[in-house]
Amino acid sequence: MSENSCHATPLPWGRAAADRFGRVVDYLRISITDRCNERCLYCLPEGYHGWTQRPDYLTTEEILRLVRVAAGLGFRKFRLTGGEPLVRADLPELVSGMAAIPGVEAIGLSTNGTRLAALARPLREAGVRSVNISLDALDPAVYRRITGGDLATVLAGIRAAADAGFERVKLNAVLLRGLNEAELWPLVLFAAEHQFPLRFIELMPVSHAHVLTQANFLPVTEVMEQLRAREHLIPQPDPRLGNGPAKYYRLARTGALVGFIGAITNRHFCETCNRVRLTADGKIRPCLGNHGEWDLRAALRRQASETELAMLLGHAVAQKPQEHAFRGDYTPCRPMVAVGG
Ligand code: SAM
């Protein structure tokens, strides 16, 4: 099949997008930059110097080529992330290029919200369907302490996202014992008021940051108990609530929809994993919590054919480990900001 064809040649062994454990992998998370305009304690190691150099980032054309290949392999859901994806100037062009690729059914974005006030509408018009916004606290001082950023700017971004007509806007909060515990209930009330699904995420050892200690780890089960002390939690089995591993509950009185991402404590966490990751410097990574990566940038830059790119991507899918290695003595290599959230 020609290079300019809309469909990549399927892998010779057929169902490329299923891994060794029978999980269908149809979700590609694409980090488009490792740069970020916030400094989240749990994400970016202090004094980090490992930034990708400009020539090493995948270009828009290179990303679009890989998206075409992935779509030809059966990938349907795509998420742009980072670093902070909204710091990349060519983001709207990238999104509209992706939206035009046959097979691309859903384009989502993960952002800290700081640039959404200006960009929510153009991104919606370009083809972004859903937005996940990180929001770890509603107290400006706590927010600044955790992220280094300005809460008012983020709240303006959230308002803009709500007005821009995305199909779904979700909020994500990382659980940090002693840091944002007192923020969890205000976050629930905020989510209920604005009807945003809210997900609480367990801290993962994806960085060398000093905050990543057992003492700061707050399990989702404990948060569920805290919420149960206030409200009845009604399980929500609806799989359409997301592409991810969150378990959702509706809070009976406030009506809040709260998801729990028990990456560490939920032993079944990886059983339904449907994703692989592409880093901003062009490595394909089958699992966030295992170090293996394959270099697609090198293949792209030696003008590998679509068939070869499809083989490499299919190989990465096939090599997905059964589960993440976070529960062992996992030592992060590249931090989250470099791998892509
Ligand atoms: N800048 C964007 C954002 O803020 O959403 C996208 C990248 S960020 C790395 C993606 C997600 O990863 C965020 O929800 C963030 O809170 C989460 N994250 C980063 N480090 C984490 C950690 N150590 N444990 C759990 N979640 C983490």
Side-chain angles (χ1 to χ4, degrees):
M1 206 161 280
S2 87
E3 190 58 42
N4 293 326
S5 155
C6 292
H7 300 283
T9 310
L11 280 178
W13 55 83
R15 283 186 68 222
D19 72 4
R20 289 172 293 163
F21 306 99
R23 295 172 297 197
V24 173
V25 179
D26 61 355
Y27 181 20
L28 181 62
R29 293 177 70 102
I30 305 173
S31 173
I32 60 169
T33 180
D34 57 354
R35 306 287 160 145
C36 191
N37 57 353
E38 290 197 327
R39 293 286 175 267
C40 298
L41 293 174
Y42 45 73
C43 187
L44 191 66
E46 224 171 294
Y48 180 66
H49 289 302
W51 307 110
T52 298
Q53 298 306 300
R54 191 175 278 270
D56 294 336
Y57 287 115
L58 291 188
T59 63
T60 294
E61 293 68 32
E62 288 170 332
I63 296 172
L64 289 176
R65 195 166 168 224
L66 290 179
V67 170
R68 266 194 296 277
V69 169
L73 280 176
F75 282 79
R76 294 290 170 261
K77 292 166 274 198
F78 297 82
R79 172 165 299 277
L80 298 170
T81 180
E84 172 49 39
L86 273 65
V87 304
R88 187 158 158 160
D90 58 1
L91 178 58
E93 292 89 271
L94 174 61
V95 172
S96 49
M98 286 172 65
I101 294 174
V104 173
E105 285 176 5
I107 303 174
L109 188 70
S110 287
T111 173
N112 59 28
T114 52
R115 296 200 172 179
L116 270 179
L119 285 167
R121 207 164 282 279
L123 287 170
R124 176 67 186 121
E125 282 162 9
V128 172
R129 285 173 56 174
S130 62
V131 179
N132 292 353
I133 305 173
S134 297
L135 184 66
D136 293 337
L138 283 167
D139 178 306
V142 179
Y143 183 85
R144 185 173 291 285
R145 182 164 175 222
I146 295 172
T147 68
D150 173 41
L151 179 70
T153 313
V154 175
L155 294 179
I158 293 174
R159 271 194 300 278
D163 292 342
F166 293 107
E167 289 172 20
R168 193 169 291 133
V169 176
K170 286 186 201 157
L171 304 177
N172 284 336
V174 175
L175 298 168
L176 295 157
R177 193 187 292 284
L179 273 168
N180 68 350
E181 263 179 296
E183 295 296 306
L184 304 184
W185 186 245
L187 283 168
V188 168
L189 295 180
F190 179 83
E193 183 189 343
H194 299 283
Q195 299 187 356
F196 299 130
L198 165 68
R199 282 132 28 118
F200 289 127
I201 306 173
E202 279 178 354
L203 198 57
M204 295 180 277
V206 286
S207 167
H208 290 286
H210 64 83
V211 77
L212 293 168
T213 61
Q214 193 55 38
N216 288 333
F217 181 77
L218 177 59
V220 287
T221 43
E222 201 175 313
V223 176
M224 288 172 77
E225 285 318 306
Q226 286 172 16
L227 297 186
R228 273 203 186 95
R230 293 176 182 266
E231 284 237 34
H232 181 47
L233 266 56
I234 306 161
Q236 302 291 300
D238 187 348
R240 286 168 303 171
L241 289 171
N243 300 319
K247 296 246 174 302
Y248 282 95
Y249 294 80
R250 177 80 63 188
L251 273 61
R253 196 167 43 80
T254 55
L257 184 61
V258 182
F260 298 91
I261 302 187
I264 308 298
T265 56
N266 176 2
R267 304 297 304 195
H268 303 288
F269 189 72
C270 303
E271 285 173 6
T272 53
C273 186
N274 57 353
R275 64 196 58 191
V276 294
R277 289 178 148 80
L278 178 65
T279 67
D281 60 354
K283 310 287 191 298
I284 192 83
R285 184 166 173 127
C287 173
L288 178 65
N290 280 282
H291 294 311
E293 292 180 350
W294 280 265
D295 192 357
L296 291 185
R297 189 187 70 211
L300 282 164
R301 294 193 180 169
R302 63 175 157 71
Q303 303 305 324
S305 67
E306 285 204 4
T307 307
E308 191 183 340
L309 292 172
M311 297 277 282
L312 284 167
L313 190 49
H315 181 67
V317 169
Q319 294 306 310
K320 254 181 91 64
Q322 188 162 21
E323 58 180 15
H324 65 63
F326 289 150
R327 292 185 203 96
D329 56 354
Y330 184 79
T331 310
C333 187
R334 303 215 280 170
M336 183 75 146
V337 76
V339 172

